[in-house]
Amino acid sequence: GAIIHYTASNLTDRPITPSDMYLLDSGGQYLDATTDVTRTMHYGTPTDYQIECYTRVLMGAIDLAMLVWPEGLYGREIDMAARAPLWAVGLEYRHGTGHGIG
């Protein structure tokens, strides 16, 4: 799986191959704001499992974008809307919602 907030080292470095998914987690801090972007890429032909995982994360992102909730809720209180398509098939992602989707 992806290493979130990865720091390069000789122990974890590996080449990007046509059979792997590549998760890019990048961003920056500026005087008035912080930006964060996560993108998932594949440089070959993804497997059926990779396609299902990516699709279920996308389904969760769409569900979350369509959600209407009462004012004052925190992200952790609506997190389940993004995870539900993964949970339906026993999958999970190990990061906060809104950060590991892309």
Side-chain angles (χ1 to χ4, degrees), residues 20-72:
D20 294 323
M21 294 179 88
Y22 176 64
L23 179 72
L24 172 68
D25 185 5
S26 184
Q29 292 186 313
Y30 303 94
L31 182 60
D32 294 323
T34 299
T35 180
D36 190 9
V37 63
T38 304
R39 294 292 178 259
T40 305
M41 296 164 270
H42 202 293
Y43 297 105
T45 303
T47 65
D48 289 343
Y49 179 71
Q50 290 170 331
I51 292 168
E52 178 178 12
C53 290
Y54 184 89
T55 301
R56 288 188 173 276
V57 170
L58 176 60
M59 290 166 62
I62 293 168
D63 290 348
L64 190 58
M66 301 299 293
L67 187 64
V68 176
W69 65 90
E71 184 177 339

Side-chain angles (χ1 to χ4, degrees), residues 1-4 83 86 92-97 100:
I3 301 172
I4 302 161
R83 294 177 190 265
L86 291 164
E92 177 69 283
Y93 57 89
R94 299 174 297 176
H95 207 291
T97 298

